[in-house]
Amino acid sequence: MKSVFLLEAFSLACFVLLNQVAAKNSEDIRCKCICPPYRETKGHIYKQNVSLKDCNCLHVVEPMPVDGKDVEAYCLRCECKYEERSSGTIKATIIMYLSILGLLLLYMIYLTLLEPILKRRLFGHSQLIQSDDDVGV
């Protein structure tokens, strides 16, 4: 009964996870700008979903922490990188990991609950007691 419940819970968790990952996420493509401290402003990391050609300080850093003539000097210090990730690969890896984890869990349940019951049924209780006595001698 417990194994059926665990299997259902595992299946539900996989289903929920797949539904969340399956949709094309806008976070798969982003531009990340790391700007160090400049005069009175603290360093900051800016992330925004923009295309590769717009991956620069002027398009990503919003709101601009400096005024007018300092914008160019501030942007020259920022390092912007275009990042892209494959949600399909991530999804496949998670499915494989959860499947292996589920199989190990089922095997653990088998070893702890079912195997002792099957041994008693196949070999009889008296033979198990005899083997324990033989080991002690």
Side-chain angles (χ1 to χ4, degrees):
M1 185 68 176
K2 287 182 182 180
S3 63
V4 173
F5 174 72
L6 290 173
L7 186 60
E8 287 177 1
F10 176 73
S11 299
L12 180 65
C14 286
F15 179 73
V16 170
L17 183 64
L18 288 176
N19 279 342
Q20 289 179 353
V21 176
K24 183 67 176 169
N25 195 351
S26 62
E27 294 290 323
D28 285 348
I29 300 170
R30 70 178 181 182
C31 184
K32 180 178 177 182
C33 290
I34 302 172
C35 299
Y38 180 75
R39 295 194 183 168
E40 301 90 35
T41 60
K42 293 182 180 178
H44 196 66
I45 297 174
Y46 299 92
K47 298 178 212 166
Q48 206 164 78
N49 300 331
V50 294
S51 65
L52 178 60
K53 66 178 181 161
D54 292 333
C55 185
N56 58 36
C57 176
L58 296 174
H59 290 99
V60 175
V61 177
E62 290 178 1
M64 188 63 70
V66 294
D67 295 326
K69 60 183 178 181
D70 288 336
V71 169
E72 187 177 344
Y74 182 77
C75 281
L76 287 174
R77 299 178 62 138
C78 294
E79 182 182 340
C80 296
K81 291 183 182 176
Y82 184 74
E83 298 175 346
E84 187 174 347
R85 63 183 178 193
S86 172
S87 60
T89 304
I90 295 169
K91 180 172 68 170
T93 304
I94 290 172
I95 290 170
M96 191 171 21
Y97 175 76
L98 290 177
S99 299
I100 291 170
L101 194 65
L103 288 173
L104 288 173
L105 181 68
L106 289 174
Y107 185 62
M108 183 188 75
I109 290 169
Y110 167 75
L111 288 177
T112 56
L113 299 177
L114 295 176
E115 189 178 32
I117 294 169
L118 292 175
K119 276 187 179 180
R120 283 189 196 128
R121 212 176 263 175
L122 291 174
F123 298 115
H125 187 67
S126 62
Q127 188 173 3
L128 286 175
I129 293 173
Q130 281 180 343
S131 65
D132 289 341
D133 291 340
D134 292 342
V135 172
V137 172

